[in-house]
Amino acid sequence: MSDEKWTVTFIVFRKKDEQPVRYDTFTLEVSPNEYVLDAVERIWAFHDRSLVFAHACHHSTCGACGMRVNGVERLTCITPIREVTRNGGTVRVEPLRNFPVVSDLAVDMSRLYQAMDVVHAQAVHPLDAAPLEGDGIRPPRQVPQPEEEGEFLRLADCIECGLCVSACPVAGTDPAYLGPAALAGAQLQSIARNPDLLSVVDCAEGVWRCHSAYECTAVCPSNVQPGWRIMDLRRQVVAQRIKALLGQR
Amino acid sequence: MNEPKKLHSRGVLDWFDPRGRQVGGWGFIINRISAIGLTIYLYLHLVMLGKLAQGPEAFDAFIATAKQPLILFGELLVIIAGLYHGLNGIRIALTSFGVAVRYQRALLIAVVLLTAAGSLFFAIRMLSIH
Ligand code: HEM
Ligand code: SF4
Ligand code: FES
């Protein structure tokens, strides 16, 4: 690691209770290889102990440290300062959108957790549900099959960080929208395996609320590809409805 | 239970704010703006057609105003909005059936190029006729 030092000004969103929003400015000497979360922690440790923010793991696993960095949703624990500014530049740090702000940079993500519950999102899913071709992603040509009855399982990629909900342009005007992460959680189970999901996702607050902006897929740090999974879920919904019409259920 | 807290969102404004958004988000914003524009145009169009019912003088007077450059420019905007909205509508319909979702970005670029080509064609025709 180099001992290169940058002077960077952090413009931080502040909000307490019903007080109006204000932005506080902190100029720090940082290494460009440090992460945005490191700088936020340093601001809290040495400049303002009243700054509230959330984090835990520091390695993109817990999903707690999501914020908007220069207007874009990022996991701050893996966002190098070098990537978002330059020496002498600024970094704007704001809480995620489309959730209520608890205090400063910390938001209440209940709507995401509740939606995950509504679709019974699983921590593991069948291996063959994982591959969904995306940018730079090539699913394995052949998904390995177990020799005996049953199927291989794999851990779900979603870390429930909420970046997708924040990036979605319509989640802010519809608090009841299940949102990208939950719909992806439904797609991974598939309606054929879990028919109860049909009524949960085939509604205005489900797959049909999506307006195809693909912002969720663009910001997801865990390659869940929620945008594409929503479209695949629509395909499943339409297929199920057509089957029902033809009386094949 | 506490009362439900207000979402950190600017509501309708966030539909249209392109900052920090990527290609797909811009596609959504332009689609929504063109949709609103077309709906307003449809209303104006029906009002103008109402002129037909007021007899030939009123209609001729209206046609004379309609040849003003500003109105012609407005008509071109309608063509651009119509082309973009219709073509993008096909893109959204396809991806909503799970078709070519992987190529949504490439499809959007094709929509924009076709809209530009179509608009240029109609702009030249409008200029040469009037
Ligand atoms: C050329 C044929 C057309 C096609 C293929 C088409 C297709 C679509 C599609 C797929 C959507 C949904 C977009 C989304 O999910 O965000 C949409 C939205 C809409 N369209 Fe069209 N459309 C057409 C013509 C029109 C016309 C002529 C008007 C108005 C007079 C119009 C007004 C609207 C409005 C107001 C919306 C809602 C916009 C939004 O939710 O953002 N459309 N259209
Ligand atoms: S789908 Fe991606 S962006 Fe959304 S909560 Fe899960 S990991 Fe985060
Ligand atoms: S601190 Fe756990 S994901 Fe960033």
Side-chain angles (χ1 to χ4, degrees):
Chain A
M1 260 240 210
S2 72
D3 47 11
E4 189 184 358
K5 285 285 175 210
W6 282 8
T7 306
V8 174
T9 301
F10 290 84
I11 304 167
V12 183
F13 176 104
R14 306 299 302 274
K15 179 160 174 58
K16 302 287 184 200
D17 298 325
E18 296 310 310
Q19 290 168 25
V21 173
R22 67 165 203 274
Y23 285 85
D24 284 351
T25 303
F26 305 91
T27 301
L28 262 58
E29 197 160 270
V30 295
S31 155
N33 298 321
E34 280 180 290
Y35 300 100
V36 172
L37 181 59
D38 298 328
V40 171
E41 287 185 316
R42 191 117 37 90
I43 291 169
W44 167 79
F46 299 115
H47 297 270
D48 186 344
R49 300 287 278 191
S50 73
L51 178 64
V52 175
F53 58 102
H55 81 87
C57 71
H58 264 270
H59 56 242
S60 68
T61 304
C62 72
C65 68
M67 299 171 202
R68 290 206 306 143
V69 179
N70 291 338
V72 181
E73 286 70 15
R74 310 289 294 245
L75 277 189
T76 50
C77 71
I78 54 165
T79 301
I81 291 171
R82 184 189 294 286
E83 257 179 34
V84 292
T85 190
R86 54 186 165 74
N87 193 3
T90 58
V91 178
R92 202 178 168 87
V93 188
E94 296 168 291
L96 294 183
R97 278 195 290 213
N98 306 337
F99 296 106
V101 170
V102 175
S103 178
D104 298 335
L105 301 171
V107 295
D108 174 355
M109 296 218 284
S110 309
R111 90 177 263 188
L112 168 67
Y113 306 140
Q114 280 161 4
M116 297 303 268
D117 217 37
V118 167
V119 301
H120 312 296
Q122 305 290 308
V124 292
H125 59 75
L127 185 61
D128 58 14
L132 192 69
E133 275 190 69
D135 284 342
I137 299 174
R138 287 283 168 275
R141 212 155 284 208
Q142 267 172 338
V143 177
Q145 296 295 326
E147 282 165 20
E148 291 160 32
E149 272 293 291
E151 58 195 354
F152 284 130
L153 297 176
R154 121 194 246 292
L155 276 170
D157 285 320
C158 179
I159 58 170
E160 302 184 13
C161 63
L163 299 198
C164 52
V165 176
S166 174
C168 174
V170 294
T173 40
D174 183 4
Y177 177 35
L178 285 174
L183 291 172
Q187 188 271 350
L188 279 166
Q189 300 169 70
S190 95
I191 295 175
R193 284 162 184 270
N194 190 352
D196 291 348
L197 282 175
L198 182 58
S199 58
V200 175
V201 302
D202 183 16
C203 60
E205 314 303 351
V207 286
W208 306 112
R209 176 60 68 221
C210 168
H211 286 275
S212 316
Y214 296 98
E215 291 292 329
C216 49
T217 290
V219 300
C220 177
S222 207
N223 249 328
V224 175
Q225 317 277 7
W228 296 335
R229 292 196 186 277
I230 293 171
M231 293 306 143
D232 186 68
L233 200 55
R234 274 189 183 168
R235 184 189 58 71
Q236 294 182 24
V237 166
V238 172
Q240 292 289 332
R241 290 296 181 204
I242 291 175
K243 263 192 209 159
L245 269 182
L246 300 178
Q248 288 184 0
R249 261 224 305 209
Chain B
M1 263 302 267
N2 298 327
E3 60 185 278
K5 287 200 215 88
K6 206 181 150 296
L7 297 185
H8 173 46
S9 154
R10 288 170 308 157
V12 173
L13 278 182
D14 280 343
W15 292 349
F16 300 109
D17 189 349
R19 285 173 298 173
R21 298 236 184 267
Q22 322 254 340
V23 183
W26 300 335
F28 159 74
I29 292 171
I30 304 171
N31 198 66
R32 191 152 268 197
I33 291 172
S34 63
I36 294 170
L38 286 174
T39 307
I40 293 171
Y41 173 76
L42 181 64
Y43 172 76
L44 291 178
H45 186 64
L46 293 175
V47 169
M48 295 307 175
L49 279 184
K51 296 269 177 197
L52 265 179
Q54 293 171 15
E57 289 83 23
F59 190 73
D60 286 347
F62 161 65
I63 291 294
T65 16
K67 284 188 176 162
Q68 285 171 8
L70 195 68
I71 306 276
L72 284 180
F73 178 70
E75 283 177 352
L76 189 58
L77 284 185
V78 170
I79 290 172
I80 296 173
L83 277 173
Y84 176 83
H85 186 88
L87 290 168
N88 190 49
I90 296 171
R91 161 179 169 267
I92 291 178
L94 281 178
T95 50
S96 294
F97 285 108
V99 178
V101 183
R102 192 151 64 92
Y103 303 108
Q104 63 88 8
R105 205 176 290 130
L107 284 176
L108 186 59
I109 293 167
V111 164
V112 169
L113 290 179
L114 282 174
T115 302
S119 309
L120 198 67
F121 173 77
F122 279 109
I124 292 169
R125 275 194 60 150
M126 278 168 87
L127 283 178
S128 55
I129 286 174
H130 291 288

